[in-house]
Amino acid sequence: MDAVYHDRGDRQRFVIEHNGNVYSCDFFVEPRHRLGNICQSKIIDLLNSKKQSDYEEHERKGGTCNAFNNFVKK
């Protein structure tokens, strides 16, 4: 079972898959968007990573999912 977390202000979100993989958003559950794995890293370290910060900054500026998907290198 996967879990999706959204805070009340919808400022932070992330997904933890059944295998422990963590992603910034449920729209970005693919290898290039993986933040890491909670079996190998602390969740706080994953959520404070540069990749997560870039995603959150994009969202704060009103960016869309498709725009962010194109922003991240393939």
Coordinates of all heavy atoms in Angstrom, one line a residue:
M1 N 0.8 -1.2 0.0 CA 0.0 0.0 0.0 C 0.9 1.2 0.0 O 1.8 1.4 0.8 CB -0.9 0.0 1.2 CG -1.8 1.2 1.4 SD -2.7 1.0 2.9 CE -4.0 2.0 2.7
D2 N 0.6 2.2 -0.9 CA 1.3 3.4 -0.9 C 0.6 4.5 -0.1 O -0.6 4.4 0.2 CB 1.4 3.9 -2.4 CG 2.2 2.9 -3.3 OD1 2.9 2.1 -2.7 OD2 2.1 3.1 -4.5
A3 N 1.4 5.5 0.3 CA 0.8 6.6 1.1 C 1.2 7.9 0.5 O 2.3 8.1 0.0 CB 1.4 6.5 2.6
V4 N 0.2 8.8 0.5 CA 0.4 10.2 0.0 C 0.1 11.1 1.1 O -0.9 11.0 1.8 CB -0.5 10.5 -1.2 CG1 -0.3 11.9 -1.7 CG2 -0.3 9.5 -2.3
Y5 N 1.0 12.0 1.4 CA 0.9 13.0 2.4 C 0.8 14.4 1.9 O 1.5 14.8 1.0 CB 2.1 13.0 3.4 CG 2.1 14.1 4.3 CD1 1.4 14.1 5.5 CD2 2.9 15.2 4.1 CE1 1.4 15.1 6.4 CE2 2.9 16.3 5.0 CZ 2.1 16.2 6.1 OH 2.1 17.3 7.0
H6 N -0.3 15.1 2.3 CA -0.4 16.6 2.0 C -0.6 17.3 3.3 O -1.5 16.9 4.1 CB -1.7 16.8 1.1 CG -1.6 16.2 -0.2 ND1 -1.2 16.9 -1.3 CD2 -2.0 15.0 -0.6 CE1 -1.3 16.1 -2.4 NE2 -1.8 14.9 -2.0
D7 N 0.1 18.4 3.5 CA -0.2 19.1 4.8 C -1.4 20.0 4.6 O -1.9 20.1 3.5 CB 1.1 19.9 5.2 CG 1.3 21.2 4.5 OD1 0.6 21.5 3.5 OD2 2.3 21.9 4.8
R8 N -1.9 20.6 5.6 CA -3.1 21.3 5.6 C -3.1 22.5 4.6 O -4.0 22.8 4.0 CB -3.5 21.8 7.0 CG -4.1 20.7 7.8 CD -4.6 21.2 9.1 NE -5.0 20.1 9.9 CZ -5.3 20.2 11.2 NH1 -5.2 21.3 11.8 NH2 -5.7 19.1 11.8
G9 N -1.9 23.1 4.6 CA -1.8 24.3 3.6 C -1.4 23.8 2.2 O -1.2 24.6 1.4
D10 N -1.3 22.5 2.0 CA -0.9 22.0 0.7 C 0.5 22.5 0.3 O 0.7 22.7 -0.9 CB -2.0 22.3 -0.3 CG -1.9 21.2 -1.4 OD1 -1.5 20.1 -1.2 OD2 -2.3 21.6 -2.6
R11 N 1.3 22.8 1.3 CA 2.6 23.3 1.0 C 3.6 22.2 0.8 O 4.7 22.4 0.1 CB 3.1 24.3 2.1 CG 2.4 25.6 2.1 CD 2.8 26.4 3.2 NE 2.7 25.7 4.5 CZ 1.8 25.9 5.4 NH1 0.9 26.8 5.2 NH2 1.7 25.2 6.5
Q12 N 3.4 21.1 1.4 CA 4.4 20.0 1.3 C 3.6 18.7 1.0 O 2.5 18.5 1.6 CB 5.2 19.8 2.6 CG 6.2 18.7 2.4 CD 7.3 18.8 3.5 OE1 7.0 19.1 4.6 NE2 8.5 18.4 3.1
R13 N 4.1 17.9 0.1 CA 3.5 16.6 -0.2 C 4.6 15.7 -0.5 O 5.7 16.1 -1.0 CB 2.5 16.8 -1.3 CG 3.2 17.2 -2.6 CD 2.2 17.4 -3.7 NE 1.3 18.5 -3.3 CZ 0.6 19.2 -4.1 NH1 0.5 18.9 -5.4 NH2 -0.1 20.2 -3.7
F14 N 4.3 14.4 -0.4 CA 5.2 13.4 -0.8 C 4.5 12.1 -0.8 O 3.4 11.9 -0.3 CB 6.5 13.3 0.1 CG 6.2 13.1 1.5 CD1 6.2 11.8 2.0 CD2 6.1 14.1 2.4 CE1 6.0 11.6 3.4 CE2 5.8 13.9 3.8 CZ 5.8 12.6 4.2
V15 N 5.1 11.1 -1.5 CA 4.6 9.8 -1.6 C 5.6 8.8 -1.1 O 6.8 8.9 -1.5 CB 4.3 9.5 -3.1 CG1 3.8 8.0 -3.3 CG2 3.3 10.4 -3.7
I16 N 5.2 7.8 -0.4 CA 6.0 6.7 0.0 C 5.4 5.4 -0.5 O 4.2 5.1 -0.2 CB 6.2 6.6 1.5 CG1 6.7 7.9 2.1 CG2 7.1 5.4 1.9 CD1 6.7 7.9 3.7
E17 N 6.1 4.8 -1.4 CA 5.6 3.5 -2.0 C 5.8 2.4 -1.1 O 6.6 2.4 -0.1 CB 6.3 3.3 -3.3 CG 5.9 4.2 -4.4 CD 6.3 3.7 -5.8 OE1 7.5 3.3 -6.0 OE2 5.4 3.6 -6.6
H18 N 5.2 1.2 -1.4 CA 5.2 0.1 -0.5 C 6.6 -0.5 -0.3 O 7.0 -1.1 0.7 CB 4.4 -1.1 -1.1 CG 4.9 -1.6 -2.4 ND1 4.7 -0.9 -3.6 CD2 5.6 -2.7 -2.7 CE1 5.3 -1.6 -4.6 NE2 5.9 -2.6 -4.1
N19 N 7.6 -0.2 -1.3 CA 8.9 -0.6 -1.1 C 9.8 0.4 -0.4 O 11.0 0.2 -0.3 CB 9.5 -0.9 -2.5 CG 9.6 0.2 -3.5 OD1 9.2 1.3 -3.1 ND2 10.0 0.0 -4.7
G20 N 9.3 1.5 0.0 CA 10.0 2.5 0.7 C 10.5 3.7 -0.1 O 11.1 4.7 0.4
N21 N 10.3 3.6 -1.4 CA 10.7 4.7 -2.3 C 9.9 6.0 -2.0 O 8.7 5.9 -1.8 CB 10.6 4.4 -3.8 CG 11.7 3.4 -4.3 OD1 12.7 3.3 -3.6 ND2 11.4 2.8 -5.4
V22 N 10.5 7.1 -2.0 CA 9.9 8.4 -1.7 C 10.0 9.3 -2.9 O 11.0 9.4 -3.6 CB 10.5 9.1 -0.5 CG1 9.9 10.4 -0.2 CG2 10.5 8.2 0.7
Y23 N 8.8 10.0 -3.2 CA 8.7 10.9 -4.4 C 8.1 12.2 -3.9 O 7.3 12.2 -2.9 CB 7.9 10.3 -5.5 CG 8.4 9.0 -6.0 CD1 8.1 7.8 -5.4 CD2 9.3 9.0 -7.1 CE1 8.7 6.6 -5.9 CE2 9.9 7.8 -7.6 CZ 9.5 6.6 -7.0 OH 10.1 5.5 -7.4
S24 N 8.3 13.3 -4.6 CA 7.8 14.6 -4.2 C 6.3 14.7 -4.4 O 5.6 15.4 -3.7 CB 8.4 15.7 -5.1 OG 9.8 15.7 -4.9
C25 N 5.7 13.9 -5.3 CA 4.3 14.1 -5.7 C 3.9 12.8 -6.3 O 4.6 12.1 -7.0 CB 4.2 15.3 -6.6 SG 2.5 15.5 -7.2
D26 N 2.6 12.5 -6.2 CA 2.1 11.3 -6.8 C 2.0 11.4 -8.3 O 1.8 10.3 -9.0 CB 0.7 10.9 -6.3 CG -0.3 12.0 -6.3 OD1 0.1 13.2 -6.4 OD2 -1.5 11.7 -6.3
F27 N 2.2 12.5 -8.9 CA 2.3 12.7 -10.4 C 3.7 12.3 -10.9 O 4.0 12.3 -12.1 CB 1.9 14.1 -10.8 CG 0.5 14.4 -10.6 CD1 0.1 15.2 -9.6 CD2 -0.5 13.8 -11.4 CE1 -1.2 15.5 -9.4 CE2 -1.8 14.0 -11.2 CZ -2.2 14.9 -10.2
F28 N 4.7 12.2 -9.9 CA 6.1 12.1 -10.3 C 6.7 10.7 -9.8 O 7.8 10.7 -9.4 CB 6.9 13.2 -9.8 CG 6.5 14.5 -10.4 CD1 6.1 15.6 -9.6 CD2 6.5 14.8 -11.8 CE1 5.7 16.8 -10.1 CE2 6.1 16.0 -12.3 CZ 5.7 17.0 -11.5
V29 N 5.9 9.7 -9.8 CA 6.4 8.4 -9.4 C 7.1 7.7 -10.5 O 6.5 6.8 -11.2 CB 5.3 7.6 -8.7 CG1 5.8 6.2 -8.3 CG2 4.6 8.3 -7.6
E30 N 8.3 8.1 -10.8 CA 9.1 7.5 -11.8 C 10.6 7.7 -11.4 O 10.9 8.6 -10.6 CB 8.9 8.1 -13.2 CG 8.9 9.6 -13.3 CD 8.5 10.1 -14.7 OE1 7.3 10.0 -15.0 OE2 9.4 10.5 -15.4
P31 N 11.5 6.8 -11.9 CA 12.9 6.8 -11.4 C 13.6 8.1 -11.3 O 14.3 8.4 -10.3 CB 13.6 5.8 -12.4 CG 12.5 4.9 -12.8 CD 11.2 5.8 -12.9
R32 N 13.4 9.0 -12.3 CA 14.2 10.2 -12.3 C 13.7 11.2 -11.2 O 14.4 12.2 -10.9 CB 14.1 10.9 -13.7 CG 12.8 11.4 -14.1 CD 12.9 11.9 -15.5 NE 11.6 12.2 -16.0 CZ 11.3 13.4 -16.6 NH1 12.2 14.3 -16.7 NH2 10.1 13.6 -17.0
H33 N 12.5 11.0 -10.6 CA 12.0 11.9 -9.6 C 12.1 11.3 -8.2 O 11.7 11.9 -7.2 CB 10.5 12.2 -9.9 CG 10.3 13.0 -11.1 ND1 10.8 14.2 -11.3 CD2 9.6 12.7 -12.3 CE1 10.5 14.7 -12.5 NE2 9.7 13.8 -13.1
R34 N 12.7 10.1 -8.1 CA 12.8 9.4 -6.8 C 13.7 10.3 -5.9 O 14.9 10.6 -6.3 CB 13.4 8.1 -7.0 CG 13.5 7.2 -5.8 CD 14.0 5.8 -6.2 NE 14.4 5.0 -5.1 CZ 15.6 4.9 -4.6 NH1 16.6 5.6 -5.1 NH2 15.8 4.2 -3.5
L35 N 13.3 10.5 -4.7 CA 14.1 11.3 -3.7 C 15.0 10.3 -3.0 O 16.1 10.7 -2.5 CB 13.2 11.9 -2.7 CG 12.2 13.0 -3.2 CD1 11.3 13.5 -2.1 CD2 13.0 14.2 -3.8
G36 N 14.6 9.1 -2.8 CA 15.4 8.1 -2.1 C 14.5 7.0 -1.5 O 13.3 6.9 -2.0
N37 N 15.0 6.3 -0.6 CA 14.2 5.2 0.0 C 14.4 5.3 1.5 O 15.5 5.5 2.1 CB 14.8 3.9 -0.5 CG 14.0 2.7 -0.1 OD1 13.9 2.4 1.1 ND2 13.3 2.1 -1.0
I38 N 13.2 5.2 2.2 CA 13.2 5.3 3.7 C 13.9 4.1 4.4 O 14.2 4.2 5.6 CB 11.8 5.5 4.3 CG1 10.9 4.4 3.9 CG2 11.3 6.9 3.8 CD1 9.6 4.4 4.7
C39 N 14.2 3.1 3.7 CA 14.9 1.9 4.3 C 16.4 2.2 4.2 O 17.2 1.5 4.9 CB 14.6 0.6 3.5 SG 12.9 0.1 3.5
Q40 N 16.8 3.2 3.5 CA 18.2 3.5 3.3 C 18.6 4.9 3.8 O 19.8 5.2 4.1 CB 18.7 3.4 1.9 CG 18.4 2.0 1.3 CD 18.5 2.0 -0.2 OE1 18.5 3.1 -0.9 NE2 18.5 0.8 -0.8
S41 N 17.6 5.8 4.0 CA 17.9 7.2 4.4 C 16.7 7.6 5.3 O 15.6 7.1 5.3 CB 17.8 8.1 3.2 OG 18.8 7.7 2.2
K42 N 17.0 8.6 6.1 CA 16.0 9.2 7.0 C 15.1 10.0 6.2 O 15.5 10.8 5.3 CB 16.7 10.1 8.1 CG 17.5 9.3 9.1 CD 18.1 10.2 10.1 CE 19.0 9.4 11.0 NZ 19.6 10.3 12.0
I43 N 13.8 9.9 6.5 CA 12.8 10.7 5.7 C 13.1 12.2 5.8 O 12.9 12.9 4.8 CB 11.3 10.4 6.2 CG1 10.3 11.0 5.3 CG2 11.1 10.8 7.6 CD1 10.1 10.4 4.0
I44 N 13.5 12.7 6.9 CA 13.8 14.1 7.0 C 14.9 14.5 6.1 O 14.9 15.6 5.5 CB 14.2 14.5 8.5 CG1 14.1 16.0 8.6 CG2 15.5 13.9 8.9 CD1 12.8 16.6 8.6
D45 N 15.9 13.7 5.8 CA 17.0 14.0 4.9 C 16.4 14.0 3.5 O 16.8 14.8 2.6 CB 18.1 13.0 5.0 CG 18.9 13.0 6.3 OD1 18.8 14.1 7.0 OD2 19.5 12.0 6.7
L46 N 15.5 13.1 3.1 CA 14.9 13.1 1.8 C 14.1 14.3 1.6 O 14.1 14.9 0.5 CB 14.1 11.8 1.6 CG 14.9 10.5 1.7 CD1 13.9 9.3 1.6 CD2 16.0 10.4 0.7
L47 N 13.3 14.7 2.6 CA 12.4 15.9 2.4 C 13.2 17.2 2.5 O 12.7 18.2 2.0 CB 11.4 15.8 3.5 CG 10.4 14.6 3.4 CD1 9.4 14.7 4.5 CD2 9.7 14.6 2.0
N48 N 14.4 17.2 2.9 CA 15.3 18.4 2.9 C 16.3 18.4 1.8 O 17.2 19.2 1.7 CB 16.0 18.5 4.3 CG 15.1 18.9 5.4 OD1 14.1 19.7 5.2 ND2 15.4 18.5 6.6
S49 N 16.1 17.4 0.9 CA 17.1 17.3 -0.3 C 16.9 18.4 -1.3 O 15.8 19.1 -1.3 CB 16.9 16.0 -1.0 OG 15.6 16.0 -1.6
K50 N 17.9 18.7 -2.1 CA 17.9 19.7 -3.1 C 16.7 19.4 -4.1 O 16.0 20.3 -4.5 CB 19.2 19.8 -3.9 CG 19.1 20.6 -5.1 CD 20.2 21.7 -5.1 CE 20.2 22.5 -6.4 NZ 19.0 23.1 -6.8
K51 N 16.6 18.1 -4.5 CA 15.5 17.7 -5.4 C 14.1 18.1 -4.9 O 13.3 18.7 -5.6 CB 15.6 16.2 -5.7 CG 14.7 15.8 -6.9 CD 14.8 14.3 -7.1 CE 16.0 14.0 -8.0 NZ 16.0 12.6 -8.5
Q52 N 13.9 17.9 -3.6 CA 12.6 18.2 -3.0 C 12.5 19.7 -2.9 O 11.4 20.3 -3.2 CB 12.4 17.6 -1.6 CG 11.2 17.9 -0.9 CD 9.9 17.3 -1.6 OE1 10.0 16.5 -2.5 NE2 8.8 17.7 -1.1
S53 N 13.5 20.4 -2.6 CA 13.5 21.9 -2.5 C 13.2 22.5 -3.8 O 12.4 23.5 -3.9 CB 14.8 22.4 -2.0 OG 15.1 22.0 -0.7
D54 N 13.8 22.0 -4.9 CA 13.5 22.5 -6.3 C 12.0 22.3 -6.6 O 11.4 23.2 -7.2 CB 14.4 21.7 -7.3 CG 15.8 22.1 -7.2 OD1 16.2 23.1 -6.6 OD2 16.6 21.4 -7.8
Y55 N 11.5 21.1 -6.3 CA 10.1 20.9 -6.5 C 9.2 21.9 -5.7 O 8.2 22.4 -6.3 CB 9.7 19.4 -6.1 CG 8.2 19.1 -6.1 CD1 7.6 18.9 -7.4 CD2 7.5 19.1 -5.0 CE1 6.2 18.7 -7.4 CE2 6.1 18.9 -5.0 CZ 5.5 18.7 -6.2 OH 4.2 18.5 -6.3
E56 N 9.5 22.1 -4.5 CA 8.7 23.0 -3.6 C 8.7 24.4 -4.1 O 7.8 25.1 -4.2 CB 9.1 22.9 -2.2 CG 8.7 21.5 -1.6 CD 9.3 21.4 -0.2 OE1 9.9 22.3 0.3 OE2 9.0 20.3 0.4
E57 N 9.9 24.8 -4.6 CA 10.1 26.2 -5.1 C 9.3 26.3 -6.4 O 8.6 27.4 -6.6 CB 11.6 26.4 -5.4 CG 11.8 27.8 -6.0 CD 11.5 29.0 -5.0 OE1 11.5 28.7 -3.8 OE2 11.4 30.1 -5.5
H58 N 9.3 25.4 -7.2 CA 8.5 25.4 -8.5 C 7.0 25.5 -8.1 O 6.3 26.3 -8.7 CB 8.7 24.1 -9.3 CG 7.9 24.0 -10.5 ND1 8.2 24.7 -11.7 CD2 6.8 23.3 -10.7 CE1 7.3 24.4 -12.6 NE2 6.4 23.6 -12.0
E59 N 6.5 24.8 -7.1 CA 5.1 24.9 -6.7 C 4.8 26.2 -6.1 O 3.7 26.8 -6.4 CB 4.8 23.8 -5.7 CG 4.7 22.4 -6.3 CD 3.4 21.8 -6.1 OE1 2.9 21.9 -5.0 OE2 2.9 21.2 -7.0
R60 N 5.7 26.8 -5.3 CA 5.4 28.1 -4.7 C 5.3 29.2 -5.8 O 4.5 30.1 -5.6 CB 6.6 28.5 -3.8 CG 6.4 28.0 -2.4 CD 7.4 28.6 -1.4 NE 8.8 28.2 -1.7 CZ 9.3 27.1 -1.2 NH1 8.6 26.2 -0.6 NH2 10.6 26.8 -1.5
K61 N 6.0 29.0 -6.9 CA 5.9 30.0 -8.0 C 4.7 29.7 -8.9 O 4.5 30.4 -9.9 CB 7.2 30.0 -8.8 CG 8.4 30.5 -8.0 CD 9.6 30.4 -8.9 CE 10.8 31.0 -8.2 NZ 12.0 30.9 -9.0
G62 N 3.8 28.8 -8.5 CA 2.6 28.5 -9.3 C 2.8 27.6 -10.5 O 2.0 27.6 -11.4
G63 N 4.0 26.9 -10.5 CA 4.3 26.0 -11.6 C 3.3 24.8 -11.7 O 2.7 24.4 -10.7
T64 N 3.2 24.3 -12.9 CA 2.3 23.1 -13.1 C 3.1 21.8 -13.1 O 4.4 21.8 -13.3 CB 1.6 23.3 -14.5 OG1 2.6 23.2 -15.5 CG2 0.9 24.6 -14.6
C65 N 2.4 20.7 -13.0 CA 3.1 19.4 -13.0 C 3.9 19.2 -14.3 O 5.0 18.8 -14.3 CB 2.0 18.3 -12.9 SG 1.3 18.3 -11.2
N66 N 3.2 19.5 -15.5 CA 3.9 19.3 -16.7 C 5.1 20.2 -16.9 O 6.2 19.7 -17.4 CB 3.0 19.6 -17.9 CG 1.9 18.5 -18.1 OD1 2.1 17.4 -17.6 ND2 0.8 18.8 -18.7
A67 N 5.1 21.4 -16.4 CA 6.2 22.3 -16.5 C 7.4 21.8 -15.6 O 8.5 21.8 -16.0 CB 5.8 23.7 -16.0
F68 N 7.1 21.3 -14.4 CA 8.1 20.7 -13.6 C 8.7 19.4 -14.2 O 9.9 19.2 -14.2 CB 7.6 20.4 -12.2 CG 8.7 20.0 -11.2 CD1 9.6 20.9 -10.8 CD2 8.9 18.7 -10.9 CE1 10.7 20.6 -9.9 CE2 9.9 18.3 -10.1 CZ 10.8 19.2 -9.6
N69 N 7.8 18.6 -14.7 CA 8.3 17.4 -15.4 C 9.3 17.7 -16.5 O 10.3 17.0 -16.7 CB 7.1 16.6 -15.9 CG 7.3 15.1 -16.0 OD1 8.2 14.6 -15.3 ND2 6.6 14.5 -16.8
N70 N 9.0 18.8 -17.2 CA 10.0 19.2 -18.3 C 11.2 19.8 -17.7 O 12.3 19.8 -18.4 CB 9.3 20.1 -19.3 CG 8.2 19.4 -20.0 OD1 8.3 18.2 -20.3 ND2 7.1 20.1 -20.4
F71 N 11.1 20.4 -16.6 CA 12.2 21.1 -15.9 C 13.3 20.1 -15.5 O 14.5 20.4 -15.6 CB 11.7 21.9 -14.7 CG 12.8 22.5 -13.8 CD1 13.5 23.6 -14.2 CD2 13.0 21.9 -12.6 CE1 14.5 24.1 -13.4 CE2 14.0 22.4 -11.7 CZ 14.7 23.5 -12.1
V72 N 12.9 19.0 -15.0 CA 13.8 18.0 -14.5 C 14.5 17.3 -15.6 O 13.8 16.8 -16.5 CB 13.1 17.0 -13.5 CG1 14.1 15.9 -13.0 CG2 12.5 17.7 -12.4
K73 N 15.8 17.1 -15.5 CA 16.5 16.4 -16.6 C 16.1 15.0 -16.7 O 15.9 14.3 -15.7 CB 18.0 16.5 -16.3 CG 18.6 17.9 -16.4 CD 20.1 17.9 -16.1 CE 20.6 19.3 -16.1 NZ 22.0 19.4 -15.7
K74 N 16.0 14.5 -17.9 CA 15.6 13.1 -18.2 C 16.8 12.2 -18.1 O 17.9 12.6 -18.3 CB 14.9 13.0 -19.5 CG 13.6 13.8 -19.5 CD 12.8 13.6 -20.8 CE 11.5 14.3 -20.7 NZ 10.7 14.2 -21.8

